[in-house]
Amino acid sequence: MNPPAVRLLVCDDHAVVRAGLLALLGSAPGIEVAGEAGSGEEAVALATKLAPDVVLMDLQLGAGMDGAEATRLITAAPDAPRVLVLTTYDTDADITRAVEAGATGYLLKAERPEELFAAVHAAARGRPTLSPPVADRVMARMRSPRPSLTTRERDILAQLTQGLGNREIARALFISEATVKTHLRRIYDKLGVETRAGAVAVAKEQRLLA
Amino acid sequence: MNPPAVRLLVCDDHAVVRAGLLALLGSAPGIEVAGEAGSGEEAVALATKLAPDVVLMDLQLGAGMDGAEATRLITAAPDAPRVLVLTTYDTDADITRAVEAGATGYLLKAERPEELFAAVHAAARGRPTLSPPVADRVMARMRSPRPSLTTRERDILAQLTQGLGNREIARALFISEATVKTHLRRIYDKLGVETRAGAVAVAKEQRLLA
DNA sequence: TCCGGGGTCAACCGATCGGATGACACAGGC
DNA sequence: GCCTGTGTCATCCGATCGGTTGACCCCGGA
Protein backbone atom coordinates (compact mmCIF):
# COMPACT_ATOMS: atom_id res chain seq x y z
CA MET A 1 0.00 0.00 0.00
CA ASN A 2 1.20 3.48 -0.90
CA PRO A 3 1.98 6.13 1.68
CA PRO A 4 -0.63 8.86 2.07
CA ALA A 5 -0.47 11.63 -0.50
CA VAL A 6 1.60 14.73 0.20
CA ARG A 7 -0.72 17.57 1.16
CA LEU A 8 0.32 20.72 -0.67
CA LEU A 9 -0.42 24.44 -0.36
CA VAL A 10 0.30 26.47 -3.51
CA CYS A 11 1.18 30.15 -3.24
CA ASP A 12 1.59 32.36 -6.31
CA ASP A 13 0.21 35.85 -6.89
CA HIS A 14 -0.57 35.24 -10.55
CA ALA A 15 -3.99 33.64 -10.69
CA VAL A 16 -3.40 32.05 -14.08
CA VAL A 17 -0.11 30.50 -13.03
CA ARG A 18 -1.62 29.36 -9.76
CA ALA A 19 -4.53 27.74 -11.52
CA GLY A 20 -2.08 26.07 -13.88
CA LEU A 21 -0.04 24.69 -11.02
CA LEU A 22 -3.18 23.39 -9.35
CA ALA A 23 -4.25 21.65 -12.51
CA LEU A 24 -0.78 20.25 -13.05
CA LEU A 25 -0.10 19.11 -9.49
CA GLY A 26 -3.64 17.92 -8.91
CA SER A 27 -3.04 15.19 -11.46
CA ALA A 28 0.37 14.23 -10.12
CA PRO A 29 0.58 10.90 -8.31
CA GLY A 30 0.90 11.06 -4.56
CA ILE A 31 0.17 14.77 -4.35
CA GLU A 32 -2.98 16.26 -2.97
CA VAL A 33 -3.53 19.99 -3.32
CA ALA A 34 -4.86 21.15 0.02
CA GLY A 35 -5.25 24.80 -0.83
CA GLU A 36 -4.06 27.86 -2.71
CA ALA A 37 -2.94 31.34 -1.72
CA GLY A 38 -2.58 34.49 -3.81
CA SER A 39 -0.51 36.45 -1.32
CA GLY A 40 2.07 35.96 1.40
CA GLU A 41 -0.40 36.87 4.12
CA GLU A 42 -2.88 34.33 2.84
CA ALA A 43 -0.20 31.67 2.62
CA VAL A 44 0.84 32.19 6.24
CA ALA A 45 -2.76 31.98 7.40
CA LEU A 46 -3.52 28.88 5.38
CA ALA A 47 -0.29 27.19 6.39
CA THR A 48 -1.56 27.27 9.95
CA LYS A 49 -5.16 26.48 9.17
CA LEU A 50 -4.61 23.67 6.68
CA ALA A 51 -1.36 22.27 8.13
CA PRO A 52 -0.09 21.01 4.77
CA ASP A 53 3.05 18.90 4.42
CA VAL A 54 4.63 21.22 1.90
CA VAL A 55 4.09 24.84 0.80
CA LEU A 56 5.03 25.66 -2.78
CA MET A 57 6.05 29.29 -2.62
CA ASP A 58 6.73 31.91 -5.28
CA LEU A 59 9.18 34.61 -4.19
CA GLN A 60 7.71 37.48 -6.19
CA LEU A 61 4.28 38.16 -4.80
CA GLY A 62 3.57 41.68 -6.01
CA ALA A 63 2.33 44.04 -3.33
CA GLY A 64 2.49 43.17 0.35
CA MET A 65 4.58 40.48 2.00
CA ASP A 66 7.10 38.81 -0.26
CA GLY A 67 7.80 35.12 -0.54
CA ALA A 68 10.90 35.14 1.64
CA GLU A 69 9.11 36.86 4.48
CA ALA A 70 6.16 34.49 4.19
CA THR A 71 8.60 31.58 4.23
CA ARG A 72 10.20 32.92 7.38
CA LEU A 73 6.87 33.18 9.16
CA ILE A 74 5.66 29.78 8.00
CA THR A 75 8.80 27.91 8.99
CA ALA A 76 9.03 29.72 12.33
CA ALA A 77 5.97 27.92 13.67
CA PRO A 78 6.44 24.71 15.65
CA ASP A 79 5.89 21.60 13.57
CA ALA A 80 5.87 23.81 10.48
CA PRO A 81 5.39 22.55 6.93
CA ARG A 82 8.36 22.46 4.57
CA VAL A 83 8.57 25.34 2.15
CA LEU A 84 9.66 24.65 -1.41
CA VAL A 85 10.45 27.81 -3.33
CA LEU A 86 9.39 27.84 -6.97
CA THR A 87 10.40 30.97 -8.80
CA THR A 88 11.75 32.45 -12.00
CA TYR A 89 14.97 34.01 -10.77
CA ASP A 90 18.23 32.48 -9.67
CA THR A 91 20.11 35.51 -8.40
CA ASP A 92 22.36 35.22 -5.38
CA ALA A 93 20.28 37.63 -3.33
CA ASP A 94 17.05 35.70 -3.93
CA ILE A 95 18.56 32.33 -3.19
CA THR A 96 20.29 33.53 -0.06
CA ARG A 97 17.21 35.21 1.32
CA ALA A 98 15.05 32.18 0.64
CA VAL A 99 17.43 29.74 2.28
CA GLU A 100 17.98 32.04 5.25
CA ALA A 101 14.22 32.27 5.58
CA GLY A 102 14.07 28.52 6.01
CA ALA A 103 13.21 27.18 2.58
CA THR A 104 13.79 23.46 2.15
CA GLY A 105 14.33 23.64 -1.60
CA TYR A 106 14.72 26.14 -4.42
CA LEU A 107 13.33 25.25 -7.82
CA LEU A 108 13.15 27.28 -10.99
CA LYS A 109 9.99 27.50 -13.04
CA ALA A 110 12.11 26.52 -16.00
CA GLU A 111 12.51 23.07 -14.44
CA ARG A 112 10.77 20.05 -15.91
CA PRO A 113 7.43 19.20 -14.27
CA GLU A 114 8.70 15.78 -13.22
CA GLU A 115 11.44 17.48 -11.25
CA LEU A 116 8.83 19.56 -9.52
CA PHE A 117 6.86 16.46 -8.53
CA ALA A 118 10.01 14.79 -7.25
CA ALA A 119 11.01 17.92 -5.32
CA VAL A 120 7.60 18.10 -3.64
CA HIS A 121 7.94 14.54 -2.47
CA ALA A 122 11.52 15.13 -1.38
CA ALA A 123 10.52 18.24 0.53
CA ALA A 124 7.78 16.33 2.33
CA ARG A 125 10.48 14.05 3.70
CA GLY A 126 12.66 17.03 4.58
CA ARG A 127 15.12 16.43 1.80
CA PRO A 128 16.34 19.57 0.04
CA THR A 129 16.22 20.04 -3.73
CA LEU A 130 18.05 22.66 -5.77
CA SER A 131 17.67 23.33 -9.47
CA PRO A 132 21.00 22.81 -11.24
CA PRO A 133 21.51 26.51 -12.05
CA VAL A 134 20.80 27.31 -8.42
CA ALA A 135 23.23 24.69 -7.22
CA ASP A 136 25.82 26.18 -9.56
CA ARG A 137 25.40 29.58 -8.00
CA VAL A 138 25.64 28.24 -4.51
CA MET A 139 28.86 26.46 -5.42
CA ALA A 140 30.25 29.57 -7.08
CA ARG A 141 29.47 31.56 -3.98
CA MET A 142 31.31 29.02 -1.86
CA ARG A 143 34.37 29.39 -4.03
CA SER A 144 34.41 33.21 -4.26
CA PRO A 145 34.27 34.39 -0.66
CA ARG A 146 31.98 37.38 -0.40
CA PRO A 147 30.95 39.76 -3.13
CA SER A 148 28.20 41.03 -0.87
CA LEU A 149 27.57 44.49 0.51
CA THR A 150 27.36 45.50 4.14
CA THR A 151 24.10 46.75 5.60
CA ARG A 152 25.19 50.34 5.44
CA GLU A 153 26.41 49.99 1.89
CA ARG A 154 23.02 48.66 0.91
CA ASP A 155 21.44 51.71 2.55
CA ILE A 156 23.63 53.97 0.45
CA LEU A 157 22.94 51.97 -2.68
CA ALA A 158 19.22 52.16 -2.06
CA GLN A 159 19.37 55.94 -1.96
CA LEU A 160 21.57 55.94 -5.03
CA THR A 161 18.98 54.03 -7.01
CA GLN A 162 16.58 56.86 -6.24
CA GLY A 163 18.91 59.08 -8.22
CA LEU A 164 19.94 61.15 -5.22
CA GLY A 165 23.20 63.12 -5.04
CA ASN A 166 25.78 62.68 -2.29
CA ARG A 167 24.46 65.61 -0.31
CA GLU A 168 20.92 64.29 -0.39
CA ILE A 169 22.01 60.78 0.52
CA ALA A 170 23.96 62.20 3.44
CA ARG A 171 20.95 64.09 4.69
CA ALA A 172 18.64 61.14 4.24
CA LEU A 173 20.88 58.88 6.31
CA PHE A 174 22.02 61.54 8.81
CA ILE A 175 25.70 61.23 7.96
CA SER A 176 28.25 63.48 6.26
CA GLU A 177 28.96 63.66 2.55
CA ALA A 178 32.45 62.39 3.25
CA THR A 179 31.04 59.20 4.67
CA VAL A 180 28.76 58.78 1.71
CA LYS A 181 31.74 59.05 -0.59
CA THR A 182 33.66 56.50 1.41
CA HIS A 183 30.82 54.01 1.16
CA LEU A 184 30.35 54.68 -2.52
CA ARG A 185 34.00 53.99 -3.20
CA ARG A 186 33.74 50.61 -1.49
CA ILE A 187 30.52 49.87 -3.33
CA TYR A 188 32.17 50.64 -6.66
CA ASP A 189 35.05 48.34 -5.78
CA LYS A 190 32.79 45.49 -4.74
CA LEU A 191 30.52 45.78 -7.75
CA GLY A 192 33.37 46.30 -10.16
CA VAL A 193 32.09 49.57 -11.55
CA GLU A 194 33.47 53.08 -11.86
CA THR A 195 30.40 55.31 -11.73
CA ARG A 196 27.16 55.65 -9.85
CA ALA A 197 25.19 54.87 -12.98
CA GLY A 198 27.06 51.61 -13.25
CA ALA A 199 26.36 50.80 -9.64
CA VAL A 200 22.64 51.36 -10.12
CA ALA A 201 22.69 49.16 -13.20
CA VAL A 202 24.40 46.31 -11.37
CA ALA A 203 22.14 46.72 -8.36
CA LYS A 204 19.00 46.49 -10.47
CA GLU A 205 20.40 43.73 -12.63
CA GLN A 206 21.40 41.47 -9.78
CA ARG A 207 18.55 42.47 -7.51
CA LEU A 208 20.94 43.41 -4.72
CA LEU A 209 18.18 45.31 -2.95
CA ALA A 210 15.01 43.99 -1.32
CA MET B 1 -24.22 21.58 -31.89
CA ASN B 2 -21.16 23.36 -30.56
CA PRO B 3 -18.59 24.96 -32.83
CA PRO B 4 -15.29 23.11 -33.15
CA ALA B 5 -12.83 23.67 -30.31
CA VAL B 6 -10.29 26.44 -30.58
CA ARG B 7 -6.91 24.94 -31.43
CA LEU B 8 -4.24 26.48 -29.24
CA LEU B 9 -0.44 26.65 -29.24
CA VAL B 10 1.12 27.51 -25.88
CA CYS B 11 4.52 29.23 -25.74
CA ASP B 12 6.34 29.85 -22.45
CA ASP B 13 9.97 29.25 -21.65
CA HIS B 14 9.30 28.02 -18.12
CA ALA B 15 8.54 24.32 -18.38
CA VAL B 16 6.62 24.21 -15.13
CA VAL B 17 4.43 27.15 -16.06
CA ARG B 18 3.92 25.75 -19.52
CA ALA B 19 2.87 22.38 -18.15
CA GLY B 20 0.53 24.15 -15.78
CA LEU B 21 -1.07 26.09 -18.61
CA LEU B 22 -1.47 22.93 -20.62
CA ALA B 23 -3.16 21.19 -17.72
CA LEU B 24 -5.36 24.20 -17.08
CA LEU B 25 -6.35 24.90 -20.65
CA GLY B 26 -6.64 21.25 -21.57
CA SER B 27 -9.61 20.98 -19.27
CA ALA B 28 -11.25 24.19 -20.44
CA PRO B 29 -14.39 23.79 -22.56
CA GLY B 30 -14.03 24.49 -26.26
CA ILE B 31 -10.24 24.65 -26.15
CA GLU B 32 -7.93 22.05 -27.61
CA VAL B 33 -4.22 22.34 -26.95
CA ALA B 34 -2.53 21.63 -30.26
CA GLY B 35 1.04 22.00 -29.09
CA GLU B 36 3.56 23.67 -26.86
CA ALA B 37 6.74 25.66 -27.41
CA GLY B 38 9.54 26.54 -25.04
CA SER B 39 11.16 29.20 -27.17
CA GLY B 40 10.28 31.84 -29.74
CA GLU B 41 11.95 29.92 -32.53
CA GLU B 42 9.98 26.81 -31.68
CA ALA B 43 6.74 28.79 -31.52
CA VAL B 44 7.28 30.25 -34.98
CA ALA B 45 8.02 26.83 -36.42
CA LEU B 46 5.03 25.18 -34.76
CA ALA B 47 2.71 28.02 -35.68
CA THR B 48 3.35 27.15 -39.31
CA LYS B 49 3.38 23.40 -38.89
CA LEU B 50 0.33 23.05 -36.64
CA ALA B 51 -1.67 26.01 -37.97
CA PRO B 52 -3.44 26.65 -34.63
CA ASP B 53 -6.24 29.17 -34.27
CA VAL B 54 -4.56 30.99 -31.43
CA VAL B 55 -1.02 31.22 -30.04
CA LEU B 56 -0.71 31.97 -26.35
CA MET B 57 2.58 33.82 -26.07
CA ASP B 58 4.74 34.83 -23.13
CA LEU B 59 6.87 37.91 -23.80
CA GLN B 60 9.86 36.98 -21.66
CA LEU B 61 11.42 33.93 -23.21
CA GLY B 62 14.89 33.94 -21.72
CA ALA B 63 17.66 33.51 -24.25
CA GLY B 64 17.07 33.82 -27.97
CA MET B 65 14.09 35.36 -29.72
CA ASP B 66 11.72 37.22 -27.44
CA GLY B 67 7.95 37.02 -27.48
CA ALA B 68 7.42 40.24 -29.40
CA GLU B 69 9.73 39.15 -32.21
CA ALA B 70 8.07 35.73 -32.34
CA THR B 71 4.69 37.44 -32.47
CA ARG B 72 5.88 39.58 -35.36
CA LEU B 73 7.03 36.59 -37.35
CA ILE B 74 3.94 34.54 -36.61
CA THR B 75 1.46 37.24 -37.54
CA ALA B 76 3.41 38.18 -40.66
CA ALA B 77 2.48 34.91 -42.38
CA PRO B 78 -0.58 34.80 -44.62
CA ASP B 79 -3.61 33.36 -42.90
CA ALA B 80 -1.72 33.59 -39.61
CA PRO B 81 -3.09 32.51 -36.24
CA ARG B 82 -4.05 35.13 -33.69
CA VAL B 83 -1.49 35.80 -31.00
CA LEU B 84 -2.69 36.35 -27.46
CA VAL B 85 0.05 37.67 -25.20
CA LEU B 86 0.06 36.31 -21.65
CA THR B 87 2.70 37.86 -19.47
CA THR B 88 3.59 39.20 -16.05
CA TYR B 89 4.42 42.78 -16.91
CA ASP B 90 2.25 45.69 -17.91
CA THR B 91 4.84 48.32 -18.77
CA ASP B 92 4.27 50.72 -21.62
CA ALA B 93 7.25 49.43 -23.55
CA ASP B 94 6.09 45.81 -23.38
CA ILE B 95 2.53 46.58 -24.32
CA THR B 96 3.52 48.82 -27.19
CA ARG B 97 5.96 46.34 -28.63
CA ALA B 98 3.49 43.50 -28.41
CA VAL B 99 0.70 45.41 -30.08
CA GLU B 100 3.03 46.72 -32.76
CA ALA B 101 4.15 43.16 -33.36
CA GLY B 102 0.58 42.18 -34.15
CA ALA B 103 -0.77 40.75 -30.92
CA THR B 104 -4.54 40.41 -30.80
CA GLY B 105 -4.76 40.65 -27.03
CA TYR B 106 -2.65 41.33 -23.96
CA LEU B 107 -3.45 39.47 -20.77
CA LEU B 108 -1.67 39.46 -17.44
CA LYS B 109 -0.88 36.26 -15.61
CA ALA B 110 -2.52 37.81 -12.60
CA GLU B 111 -5.84 37.57 -14.46
CA ARG B 112 -8.47 35.06 -13.41
CA PRO B 113 -8.38 31.80 -15.37
CA GLU B 114 -11.94 32.34 -16.63
CA GLU B 115 -10.76 35.56 -18.21
CA LEU B 116 -8.02 33.65 -19.94
CA PHE B 117 -10.48 31.13 -21.36
CA ALA B 118 -12.73 33.92 -22.56
CA ALA B 119 -9.80 35.77 -24.09
CA VAL B 120 -8.68 32.68 -25.99
CA HIS B 121 -12.15 32.29 -27.49
CA ALA B 122 -12.33 35.98 -28.24
CA ALA B 123 -8.93 35.91 -29.92
CA ALA B 124 -10.01 32.98 -32.07
CA ARG B 125 -12.72 35.19 -33.46
CA GLY B 126 -10.32 38.08 -33.92
CA ARG B 127 -11.67 40.05 -31.02
CA PRO B 128 -9.06 41.81 -28.89
CA THR B 129 -8.86 41.45 -25.13
CA LEU B 130 -6.91 43.64 -22.74
CA SER B 131 -6.46 43.11 -19.02
CA PRO B 132 -7.88 46.06 -17.08
CA PRO B 133 -4.48 47.33 -15.88
CA VAL B 134 -3.25 47.14 -19.46
CA ALA B 135 -6.29 48.99 -20.74
CA ASP B 136 -5.63 51.64 -18.11
CA ARG B 137 -2.12 52.15 -19.35
CA VAL B 138 -3.21 52.35 -22.96
CA MET B 139 -5.78 54.98 -22.01
CA ALA B 140 -3.23 56.92 -19.99
CA ARG B 141 -0.88 56.88 -22.94
CA MET B 142 -3.63 58.22 -25.16
CA ARG B 143 -4.20 61.11 -22.82
CA SER B 144 -0.56 62.06 -22.23
CA PRO B 145 0.92 62.46 -25.71
CA ARG B 146 4.58 61.54 -25.36
CA PRO B 147 6.23 59.76 -22.46
CA SER B 148 8.39 57.80 -24.85
CA LEU B 149 12.01 58.11 -25.88
CA THR B 150 13.30 58.48 -29.40
CA THR B 151 15.50 55.83 -30.97
CA ARG B 152 18.62 57.82 -30.40
CA GLU B 153 17.71 58.59 -26.83
CA ARG B 154 17.32 54.89 -26.19
CA ASP B 155 20.78 54.35 -27.66
CA ILE B 156 22.21 56.86 -25.23
CA LEU B 157 20.28 55.38 -22.34
CA ALA B 158 21.52 51.91 -23.20
CA GLN B 159 25.11 53.09 -22.95
CA LEU B 160 24.30 54.93 -19.75
CA THR B 161 23.05 51.75 -18.12
CA GLN B 162 26.47 50.28 -18.80
CA GLY B 163 27.83 52.93 -16.48
CA LEU B 164 29.73 54.73 -19.22
CA GLY B 165 30.75 58.40 -19.01
CA ASN B 166 29.77 61.00 -21.59
CA ARG B 167 33.06 60.72 -23.41
CA GLU B 168 32.78 56.97 -23.69
CA ILE B 169 29.18 57.15 -24.82
CA ALA B 170 30.21 59.67 -27.45
CA ARG B 171 32.93 57.39 -28.76
CA ALA B 172 30.70 54.34 -28.72
CA LEU B 173 28.06 56.07 -30.82
CA PHE B 174 30.44 58.10 -32.99
CA ILE B 175 29.06 61.48 -31.93
CA SER B 176 30.41 64.38 -29.85
CA GLU B 177 30.14 64.75 -26.11
CA ALA B 178 28.00 67.83 -26.66
CA THR B 179 25.44 65.74 -28.44
CA VAL B 180 25.46 63.18 -25.70
CA LYS B 181 24.75 65.89 -23.17
CA THR B 182 21.90 67.23 -25.26
CA HIS B 183 20.29 63.82 -25.42
CA LEU B 184 20.84 63.22 -21.75
CA ARG B 185 19.12 66.47 -20.88
CA ARG B 186 16.05 65.46 -22.89
CA ILE B 187 16.11 62.00 -21.36
CA TYR B 188 16.18 63.49 -17.88
CA ASP B 189 13.25 65.71 -18.75
CA LYS B 190 11.21 62.87 -20.20
CA LEU B 191 11.91 60.50 -17.34
CA GLY B 192 11.46 63.17 -14.71
CA VAL B 193 14.87 62.69 -13.11
CA GLU B 194 17.83 64.93 -12.40
CA THR B 195 20.81 62.60 -12.54
CA ARG B 196 22.16 59.74 -14.61
CA ALA B 197 21.75 57.37 -11.70
CA GLY B 198 18.07 58.28 -11.59
CA ALA B 199 17.75 57.71 -15.32
CA VAL B 200 19.28 54.24 -15.03
CA ALA B 201 16.94 53.41 -12.17
CA VAL B 202 13.87 54.45 -14.13
CA ALA B 203 15.08 52.67 -17.24
CA LYS B 204 15.61 49.42 -15.38
CA GLU B 205 12.44 49.83 -13.40
CA GLN B 206 10.17 50.44 -16.37
CA ARG B 207 12.05 48.16 -18.74
CA LEU B 208 12.51 50.96 -21.24
CA LEU B 209 15.22 49.03 -23.04
CA ALA B 210 15.41 45.77 -25.00
C1' DT C 1 45.13 41.86 24.50
C1' DC C 2 45.69 42.99 19.84
C1' DC C 3 43.73 43.06 15.41
C1' DG C 4 40.40 43.52 11.67
C1' DG C 5 35.96 44.87 9.84
C1' DG C 6 32.44 48.15 9.81
C1' DG C 7 31.13 52.84 10.19
C1' DT C 8 32.25 57.56 10.60
C1' DC C 9 34.63 62.02 9.15
C1' DA C 10 38.06 65.53 6.86
C1' DA C 11 40.62 67.95 3.21
C1' DC C 12 42.32 68.36 -1.35
C1' DC C 13 42.28 68.11 -6.39
C1' DG C 14 41.30 67.05 -11.10
C1' DA C 15 37.70 65.22 -13.97
C1' DT C 16 33.13 65.03 -15.07
C1' DC C 17 28.55 66.34 -15.00
C1' DG C 18 24.42 69.36 -15.29
C1' DG C 19 22.38 73.88 -16.78
C1' DA C 20 21.69 77.31 -20.02
C1' DT C 21 21.84 78.92 -24.68
C1' DG C 22 22.28 79.05 -29.41
C1' DA C 23 22.91 77.00 -33.80
C1' DC C 24 22.45 74.00 -38.11
C1' DA C 25 20.68 70.08 -41.06
C1' DC C 26 17.24 67.00 -42.39
C1' DA C 27 12.91 64.60 -42.34
C1' DG C 28 7.96 64.48 -42.60
C1' DG C 29 3.38 66.67 -42.03
C1' DC C 30 0.26 70.65 -42.69
C1' DG D 1 6.58 76.45 -48.40
C1' DC D 2 6.60 76.48 -43.44
C1' DC D 3 6.90 74.27 -39.03
C1' DT D 4 7.86 70.64 -35.83
C1' DG D 5 10.62 66.90 -34.22
C1' DT D 6 14.94 64.68 -34.32
C1' DG D 7 19.76 64.59 -34.33
C1' DT D 8 23.87 66.97 -34.49
C1' DC D 9 27.43 70.35 -32.45
C1' DA D 10 29.55 74.31 -29.55
C1' DT D 11 30.73 77.23 -25.46
C1' DC D 12 30.75 78.65 -20.76
C1' DC D 13 30.34 77.96 -15.85
C1' DG D 14 29.20 76.31 -11.34
C1' DA D 15 28.19 72.09 -8.96
C1' DT D 16 29.13 67.55 -8.21
C1' DC D 17 31.65 63.53 -8.45
C1' DG D 18 35.65 60.29 -8.12
C1' DG D 19 40.47 59.47 -6.27
C1' DT D 20 43.43 59.67 -2.60
C1' DT D 21 45.07 59.81 1.91
C1' DG D 22 44.65 59.75 6.62
C1' DA D 23 42.16 59.47 10.80
C1' DC D 24 38.95 57.95 14.84
C1' DC D 25 35.57 54.89 17.18
C1' DC D 26 33.37 50.61 18.33
C1' DC D 27 32.91 45.87 18.43
C1' DG D 28 33.86 41.09 18.38
C1' DG D 29 37.01 37.32 17.49
C1' DA D 30 41.78 35.38 17.76
Side-chain angles (χ1 to χ4, degrees):
Chain A
M1 171 179 173
N2 290 324
V6 176
R7 297 185 65 249
L8 186 68
L9 172 61
V10 175
C11 178
D12 193 307
D13 65 321
H14 294 127
V16 166
V17 176
R18 194 168 67 243
L21 288 173
L22 290 177
L24 177 64
L25 291 158
S27 67
I31 296 177
E32 175 200 338
V33 178
E36 57 175 309
S39 70
E41 290 80 359
E42 199 178 346
V44 172
L46 288 180
T48 303
K49 185 179 175 191
L50 302 176
D53 300 309
V54 177
V55 179
L56 195 63
M57 175 71 67
D58 190 7
L59 284 185
Q60 287 76 31
L61 295 177
M65 186 187 302
D66 74 348
E69 185 56 24
T71 298
R72 194 182 311 281
L73 294 178
I74 290 173
T75 56
D79 207 21
R82 306 286 181 172
V83 174
L84 178 61
V85 169
L86 178 70
T87 187
T88 299
Y89 304 103
D90 66 346
T91 64
D92 284 357
D94 284 330
I95 297 169
T96 302
R97 291 204 311 144
V99 172
E100 283 176 355
T104 293
Y106 196 110
L107 243 70
L108 297 181
K109 288 185 175 174
E111 207 56 74
R112 288 164 41 239
E114 298 78 43
E115 292 296 330
L116 173 60
F117 302 154
V120 169
H121 281 108
R125 282 173 294 166
R127 290 228 315 270
T129 305
L130 294 182
S131 279
V134 175
D136 282 350
R137 282 198 169 265
V138 172
M139 297 301 186
R141 161 153 302 209
M142 296 295 204
R143 281 190 287 271
S144 67
R146 290 264 108 188
S148 65
L149 302 177
T150 68
T151 305
R152 204 51 168 164
E153 284 162 355
R154 266 192 296 274
D155 291 341
I156 303 282
L157 188 54
Q159 300 298 318
L160 187 59
T161 60
Q162 305 300 314
L164 301 186
N166 290 348
R167 190 187 317 261
E168 299 165 296
I169 296 176
R171 271 202 260 272
L173 300 181
F174 305 106
I175 56 180
S176 80
E177 285 185 59
T179 303
V180 173
K181 291 178 71 173
T182 300
H183 286 306
L184 281 177
R185 178 95 295 279
R186 299 195 183 131
I187 292 173
Y188 295 161
D189 288 342
K190 289 185 179 179
L191 301 188
V193 301
E194 292 300 323
T195 66
R196 35 185 63 216
V200 172
V202 172
K204 293 279 184 184
E205 203 70 50
Q206 303 187 3
R207 286 189 166 66
L208 295 180
L209 305 172
Chain B
M1 169 176 174
N2 292 324
V6 175
R7 297 185 66 249
L8 185 67
L9 171 62
V10 175
C11 178
D12 193 308
D13 63 324
H14 294 127
V16 166
V17 175
R18 192 167 68 243
L21 288 173
L22 290 178
L24 178 65
L25 290 159
S27 67
I31 296 177
E32 175 200 337
V33 178
E36 57 176 307
S39 70
E41 289 80 358
E42 199 179 346
V44 172
L46 289 180
T48 302
K49 185 178 174 193
L50 302 176
D53 300 310
V54 177
V55 178
L56 196 60
M57 175 71 67
D58 189 7
L59 283 185
Q60 287 76 31
L61 295 177
M65 186 187 301
D66 75 349
E69 185 57 25
T71 298
R72 194 183 313 280
L73 293 178
I74 291 173
T75 57
D79 206 19
R82 306 287 180 171
V83 174
L84 178 60
V85 168
L86 179 68
T87 187
T88 298
Y89 304 103
D90 65 346
T91 64
D92 285 357
D94 285 329
I95 298 170
T96 301
R97 291 204 311 145
V99 173
E100 284 176 355
T104 293
Y106 195 109
L107 242 68
L108 298 181
K109 288 183 177 176
E111 206 58 73
R112 290 165 39 239
E114 300 78 42
E115 291 296 330
L116 173 59
F117 302 154
V120 169
H121 282 108
R125 281 174 295 167
R127 291 226 316 270
T129 303
L130 294 183
S131 281
V134 175
D136 283 351
R137 282 198 169 265
V138 172
M139 296 301 185
R141 163 155 299 208
M142 297 294 205
R143 282 191 287 271
S144 64
R146 302 253 100 196
S148 63
L149 301 177
T150 68
T151 305
R152 204 51 167 165
E153 284 162 355
R154 267 192 296 274
D155 291 341
I156 303 281
L157 189 54
Q159 300 299 318
L160 187 58
T161 60
Q162 305 300 315
L164 300 186
N166 290 345
R167 180 168 311 160
E168 297 164 299
I169 296 175
R171 269 203 261 271
L173 301 180
F174 305 105
I175 57 180
S176 78
E177 283 186 59
T179 303
V180 173
K181 292 178 69 172
T182 301
H183 285 307
L184 281 178
R185 178 95 293 282
R186 295 189 186 140
I187 291 173
Y188 294 163
D189 289 342
K190 288 185 178 179
L191 300 188
V193 299
E194 293 300 324
T195 66
R196 38 184 62 214
V200 172
V202 172
K204 293 279 184 181
E205 204 69 51
Q206 303 187 2
R207 287 190 164 64
L208 295 178
L209 304 172

